Amino acid sequence: FAVYRALQAGAGSDAVAAMTGMDPWFLRQLQEMADCQLSMINCQSESPELPGLLRRAKQMGFADSHLARLID
């Protein structure tokens, strides 16, 4: 969770890869998930982009319960 939180806080995936030795591809995937989560948090519930964001988040593996907390 610490790596995900670092990515959410703005640490670049390449910098995290250099510090941790983790695969840069994996960290870019985590970064994409963190960016999606931030988009969900910033999206208004009546926004026309919400259905697309929800679809993208579900394809990434976000649980329904987690998505409900993000858009509530």
Side-chain angles (χ1 to χ4, degrees), residues 11-33:
S13 57
D14 291 332
V16 174
M19 288 187 292
T20 63
M22 295 176 81
D23 184 355
W25 176 87
F26 176 73
L27 292 170
R28 283 191 296 275
Q29 299 303 308
L30 281 179
Q31 182 67 61
E32 190 174 329
M33 292 180 77

Side-chain angles (χ1 to χ4, degrees), residues 27-46:
L27 292 170
R28 283 191 296 275
Q29 299 303 308
L30 281 179
Q31 182 67 61
E32 190 174 329
M33 292 180 77
D35 292 345
C36 181
Q37 181 172 326
L38 182 61
S39 295
M40 294 291 299
I41 291 169
N42 293 329
C43 186
Q44 301 294 324
S45 60
E46 284 95 32

